[in-house]
């Protein structure tokens, strides 16, 4: 029987989700990992598929930004789709060779996973001829948009669990103007399952439909990040030494076994800057997110293709007086600068670090982030 790795990642920035899929597709093609299913949530984002029509995004760029939405063009099939808090997103990274090389059957199998998952909670969902996705009498509850390259799959499905359906006002979902959307919460009210319960059933149904044995795989690393803000708004950026990637970042580090995120954040601040904050000086940004680590950026692993590692990161902020200076650890960083928020967002290469900067400077966390604190 095939093996199916299942990774339940919690909150993942959409940009980081694209990176994780790219790395896993390459690893799957090289035989470094088995078939893998990523289960996660995204912050609010609108995505346009290959057949997407910009006119189906109903809000202006300014309206989207004001409401905390991002906008991405992607290589998946389909038109325009919304992702956001309370929506279970699944990205199957499957190798359909040699005996599953049928695009229609694959799409139907993804639909079947969602139909069975809805049925597990007493909801009748079905296919509608000519329309991809799964539908109830009250509207569409699951969207599907996939990408295949050399019979390796990516992208996948979005299943509305406790999704704020008002967010769909930003788009014409999947380009279909005469169809509504719904969620398990809307359909079931107080009987609606938790997000974790839906994840569990989706993973089990995926294994059954794809005739595989599911194995849940935890993240390989637990990390912290700290946005150090000097005075009103200067952000500390540290440049990693060339052997460690040579990119700009806020302060980051790994948690040690048994160490709390708060204690790890305070330790990393001291080790990497020489500052010695009290635990009470650190602000929990209520932002926990997961991402894939590109092995090519990890010292000692860049010489050959390897499977990506996954990290779950907890973000903090530290405010320091305007005259504060730091002392770098030369084994980690070779340069530091205090920059404006705009320059920090321009220089930071990773979506999660950029989000943490915005949160440290006052942007409220979306609902899915707040509940993870």
């Amino acid at each position: 029987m095939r093996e199916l790795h299942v990774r339940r990642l919690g909150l993942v920035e959409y940009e980081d989700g694209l990176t994780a899929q790219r790395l896993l597709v390459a690893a799957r093609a090289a035989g470094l990992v088995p078939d893998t299913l990523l289960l996660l949530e995204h912050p609010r984002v609108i995505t346009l598929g290959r057949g997407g029509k910009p006119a189906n995004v109903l809000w202006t760029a300014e309206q989207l930004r004001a409401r905390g939405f991002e906008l991405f063009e992607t290589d998946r099939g389909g038109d325009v789709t919304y992702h956001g808090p309370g929506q279970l997103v699944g990205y199957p990274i499957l190798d359909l060779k040699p005996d599953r090389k049928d695009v229609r059957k694959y799409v139907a199998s993804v639909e079947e996973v969602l139909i069975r998952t809805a049925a597990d909670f007493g909801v009748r969902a079905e296919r509608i001829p000519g329309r991809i996705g799964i539908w109830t009498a009250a509207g569409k509850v699951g969207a599907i948009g996939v990408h295949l390259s050399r019979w390796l799959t990516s992208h996948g499905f979005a299943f509305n669990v406790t999704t704020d359906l008002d967010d769909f006002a930003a788009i014409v979902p999947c380009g279909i103007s005469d169809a509504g959307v719904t969620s398990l919460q809307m359909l079931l009210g107080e009987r609606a399952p938790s997000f974790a319960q839906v994840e569990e059933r989706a993973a089990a149904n995926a294994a059954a439909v794809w005739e595989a044995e599911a194995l849940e795989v935890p993240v390989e690393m637990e990390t912290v990040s700290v946005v150090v803000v000097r005075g009103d708004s200067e952000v500390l950026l540290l440049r990693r030494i060339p052997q460690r990637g040579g990119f700009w970042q806020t302060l980051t580090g790994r948690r040690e076994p048994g160490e709390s995120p708060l204690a790890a954040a305070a330790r990393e601040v001291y080790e990497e800057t020489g500052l010695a904050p009290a635990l009470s000086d650190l602000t929990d940004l209520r932002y926990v997110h997961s991402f894939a680590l590109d092995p090519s950026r990890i010292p000692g692993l860049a010489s050959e293709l390897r499977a990506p590692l996954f990290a779950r990161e907890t973000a903090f902020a530290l405010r320091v007086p305007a005259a504060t200076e730091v002392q770098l650890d030369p084994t980690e960083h070779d340069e530091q600068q205090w920059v404006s928020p705009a320059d920090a967002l321009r220089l930071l290469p990773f979506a999660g670090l950029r989000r943490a900067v915005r949160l440290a400077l006052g942007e409220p966390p979306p609902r899915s982030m707040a509940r993870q604190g």
Side-chain angles (χ1 to χ4, degrees):
M1 179 176 282
R2 298 181 181 93
E3 192 174 76
L4 178 69
H5 280 187
V6 178
R7 289 184 178 269
R8 295 166 63 170
L9 297 177
L11 185 72
V12 175
E13 296 288 339
Y14 189 76
E15 180 181 322
D16 290 341
L18 294 176
T19 298
Q21 292 179 78
R22 174 179 58 80
L23 294 172
L24 280 171
V25 166
R28 185 70 187 97
L32 300 175
V33 296
D35 288 348
T36 298
L37 174 63
L38 304 181
L39 296 175
L40 51 95
E41 279 182 283
H42 286 310
R44 288 179 169 85
V45 62
I46 304 298
T47 71
L48 282 165
R50 293 189 304 274
K53 300 178 178 62
N56 288 327
V57 180
L58 303 179
W59 292 352
T60 65
E62 291 75 18
Q63 288 175 312
L64 291 172
R65 281 194 297 269
R67 291 166 171 81
F69 286 70
E70 293 184 292
L71 180 64
F72 282 86
E73 295 184 4
T74 76
D75 60 359
R76 63 163 173 80
D79 201 293
V80 61
T81 298
Y82 161 82
H83 299 306
Q87 184 188 73
L88 175 61
V89 174
Y91 292 137
I93 311 299
L94 312 182
D95 188 349
L96 300 184
K97 301 186 297 292
D99 57 340
R100 298 181 288 177
K101 293 164 58 175
D102 187 311
V103 175
R104 290 185 179 180
K105 284 186 178 179
Y106 171 64
V107 172
S109 78
V110 179
E111 291 174 332
E112 183 64 23
V113 170
L114 298 187
I115 289 170
R116 294 188 187 189
T117 302
D120 286 337
F121 302 104
V123 171
R124 178 183 174 84
E126 57 191 0
R127 301 174 180 87
I128 292 181
R131 292 181 174 181
I132 295 175
I134 66 164
W135 303 77
T136 71
K140 189 174 188 175
V141 72
I144 293 171
V146 304
H147 176 75
L148 279 82
S149 177
R150 300 180 181 178
W151 297 107
L152 289 161
T153 72
S154 58
H155 295 281
F157 64 80
F159 191 55
N160 296 329
V161 182
T162 60
T163 317
D164 184 348
L165 300 180
D166 289 342
D167 285 349
F168 283 94
I171 64 172
V172 179
C174 299
I176 303 172
S177 59
D178 61 345
V181 292
T182 190
S183 68
L184 293 185
Q185 184 177 58
M186 180 64 69
L187 294 166
L188 298 173
E190 294 182 354
R191 297 183 295 112
S194 69
F195 196 87
Q197 289 173 317
V198 179
E199 279 186 316
E200 290 170 3
R201 293 312 308 155
N205 289 322
V209 169
W210 296 325
E211 299 179 337
E213 181 178 0
L215 175 64
E216 187 153 339
V217 181
V219 296
E220 285 82 6
M221 298 182 191
E222 295 280 356
T223 63
V224 295
S225 69
V226 183
V227 180
V228 182
V229 181
R230 186 172 71 172
D232 291 335
S233 61
E234 286 186 303
V235 177
L236 176 64
L237 294 188
L238 310 175
R239 189 174 68 186
R240 294 180 72 89
I241 61 175
Q243 302 94 309
R244 292 181 174 271
F247 53 85
W248 290 99
Q249 62 174 173
T250 55
L251 193 153
T252 65
R254 292 181 65 170
R255 287 169 56 187
E256 295 178 351
E259 189 177 34
S260 72
L262 181 60
R267 175 181 53 77
E268 289 290 342
V269 169
Y270 178 71
E271 291 178 354
E272 296 191 18
T273 69
L275 302 176
L279 295 182
S280 58
D281 294 333
L282 289 156
T283 300
D284 185 345
L285 294 177
R286 303 185 65 78
Y287 175 42
V288 180
H289 68 111
S290 297
F291 56 93
L293 289 162
D294 186 342
S296 68
R297 290 181 175 266
I298 301 174
L301 299 184
S303 60
E304 59 185 82
L305 180 63
R306 293 176 181 262
L309 305 176
F310 283 78
R312 179 175 290 113
E313 188 158 277
T314 304
F316 295 86
L318 173 66
R319 287 193 170 267
V320 298
T324 299
E325 295 296 342
V326 300
Q327 183 175 353
L328 299 185
D329 175 358
T331 66
E332 294 278 348
H333 303 102
D334 62 8
E335 189 175 338
Q336 58 91 11
Q337 58 178 329
W338 296 94
V339 301
S340 68
D343 283 341
L345 296 177
R346 177 177 58 83
L347 290 168
L348 289 169
F350 304 118
L353 297 183
R354 296 195 297 270
R355 172 85 64 180
V357 167
R358 296 198 301 270
L359 293 172
L361 296 172
E363 178 182 288
R367 174 168 55 91
S368 63
M369 297 179 191
R371 73 179 185 216
Q372 294 183 48

